[in-house]
Amino acid sequence: MIDFTNCKRIFSRAYNGANGKKIAVKYDGEDYMLKFPPSGQDKPTELSYTNSCVSEYLGSSIFNIIGIEAQKTLLGTYRIGGKEKIVCACKDFTADNIRLYDFCSIKNTVIDSGHGGTGTELEDITETMEKQQFVDPVELTEHFWNVFVVDALLGNFDRHNGNWGFIVNLESGKAKIAPIYDCGSCLLPQADENVMKAVLSSEEELDKRIFRFPTSAIQENKKKINYYDFMTDAKNADCNAAIARIYPQIDIEKIKAFIYETEGITELQKEFYSRYISARYDKILTPAYDIVMEQRNDLTLK
């Protein structure tokens, strides 16, 4: 594992957001945001939040494995106050005169909308994607639903309007969709060893974390979307199209091999993440894909 302790700090850069401290460092000649795991005092709970950096690394890497561009991440350590912490280094894609505009900011540019930037109601998001003038609306809609499908695979409960968006070249003024970032809420980051063991030993405990929670941060009729119910309902044509696109690109064995090759995590974690992703693939994505393809076959026969 990489030791980032002695990397040069970049004090001219700072990052907002919750869930742990963040600093800018120079590593291998490039700028990285170094994410630290939240302490137990940040969010009082019986569960550990120290796995958020692992979730960030694995989640971003799995997006890239599937073929959806995500920021480059590295898993490593950092010593502070005599203690060694697991950290995730996220390559800063806003260097070189590039600025990030999150979707929350983009929503606020749609002046004929009656909704604010932070609202995550699906109908409101859809309206903004159609009306925004930064990138092609069709491309943006496809991207949004592609990400939704992979977030369903990873169990991401926090893909809100502040952690996806566009990057703009300040010199040319050209905009494009930003790489996927902020994946620390994937793969049950609150799970400690006891939770992992319970999930691995009980199908009931596993199914709770597939069919009941985590839910998406996106809401429909003021209720957070349940991934299984929404995708197997197959009533959203854009989501159905994304399922048909993305499902064949998911190589579960390749993802599991990547997890087992990851240094710095325990054998229990490797077994847990592999089992969890495989189960979500089998129990959410596969039936959703089968339903979508059956619908398409029925339309073809008609």
Side-chain angles (χ1 to χ4, degrees):
M1 288 239 292
I2 302 166
D3 184 358
F4 293 101
T5 308
N6 296 318
C7 287
K8 182 180 177 181
R9 290 277 301 271
I10 306 173
F11 291 99
S12 60
R13 298 188 73 82
Y15 309 97
N16 60 10
N19 298 327
K21 305 296 184 181
K22 305 172 183 71
I23 62 173
V25 300
K26 185 77 73 172
Y27 174 73
D28 200 22
E30 296 182 305
D31 294 354
Y32 281 82
M33 174 178 64
L34 209 61
K35 282 191 170 185
F36 292 77
S39 68
Q41 295 177 344
D42 291 338
K43 290 187 176 182
T45 174
E46 295 179 358
L47 299 175
S48 168
Y49 272 73
T50 57
N51 292 324
S52 61
C53 290
V54 177
S55 294
E56 184 82 49
Y57 170 71
L58 293 178
S60 297
S61 300
I62 290 168
F63 266 101
N64 280 319
I65 289 172
I66 291 172
I68 299 176
E69 183 186 7
Q71 71 180 153
K72 179 182 178 182
T73 54
L74 302 168
L75 199 61
T77 59
Y78 193 96
R79 290 187 175 275
I80 183 170
K83 295 182 179 180
E84 184 177 85
K85 295 180 178 291
I86 298 292
V87 296
C88 183
C90 307
K91 186 177 178 181
D92 190 340
F93 52 77
T94 64
D96 301 323
N97 217 25
I98 302 296
R99 179 173 292 176
L100 171 68
Y101 291 94
D102 60 32
F103 192 70
C104 181
S105 302
I106 302 305
K107 285 185 84 221
N108 286 332
T109 69
V110 182
I111 57 178
D112 60 344
S113 171
H115 304 279
T118 58
T120 56
E121 188 70 25
L122 179 58
E123 183 178 2
D124 183 23
I125 291 173
T126 300
E127 179 190 23
T128 300
M129 290 193 295
E130 292 172 350
K131 291 183 176 181
Q132 57 76 37
Q133 299 180 7
F134 284 76
V135 299
D136 176 59
V138 174
E139 178 188 0
L140 183 60
T141 298
E142 288 187 357
H143 171 78
F144 173 83
W145 287 110
N146 288 348
V147 173
F148 182 89
V149 172
V150 180
D151 278 342
L153 174 70
L154 301 176
N156 191 345
F157 59 83
D158 199 35
R159 185 73 66 193
H160 54 73
N161 296 337
N163 57 22
W164 71 283
F166 308 151
I167 51 177
V168 178
N169 187 306
L170 298 181
E171 291 183 356
S172 67
K174 292 183 178 180
K176 64 179 184 178
I177 298 170
I180 302 301
Y181 63 97
D182 207 350
C183 294
S185 297
C186 297
L187 303 172
L188 300 178
Q190 306 96 330
D192 61 13
E193 288 189 359
N194 291 331
V195 171
M196 291 183 181
K197 290 177 180 178
V199 169
L200 288 171
S201 61
S202 168
E203 197 74 16
E204 181 181 358
E205 290 297 321
L206 175 61
D207 284 348
K208 284 180 185 178
R209 291 160 177 85
I210 293 175
F211 299 117
R212 288 172 51 188
F213 64 88
T215 57
S216 169
I218 308 302
Q219 298 185 37
E220 193 172 42
N221 300 320
K222 298 182 179 181
K223 183 179 179 181
K224 289 185 176 181
I225 288 174
N226 176 290
Y227 283 117
Y228 174 80
D229 291 343
F230 186 86
M231 295 173 72
T232 56
D233 194 36
K235 290 183 178 179
N236 186 292
D238 290 321
C239 183
N240 293 348
I243 293 169
R245 282 193 302 272
I246 297 301
Y247 182 84
Q249 296 178 205
I250 300 173
D251 186 336
I252 285 295
E253 293 306 315
K254 186 175 182 179
I255 291 172
K256 289 167 63 176
F258 166 75
I259 291 171
Y260 276 100
E261 291 167 1
T262 298
E263 297 181 1
I265 61 176
T266 66
E267 291 302 313
L268 174 62
Q269 286 175 296
K270 292 177 182 180
E271 184 180 359
F272 171 76
Y273 294 131
S274 298
R275 176 74 179 111
Y276 184 62
I277 291 175
S278 296
R280 294 187 70 87
Y281 177 82
D282 292 339
K283 298 186 178 188
I284 299 178
L285 268 62
T286 297
Y289 178 76
D290 290 343
I291 290 168
V292 168
M293 299 313 293
E294 184 177 353
Q295 283 185 352
R296 290 191 172 191
N297 290 335
D298 288 345
L299 288 173
T300 302
L301 292 175
K302 291 179 181 178

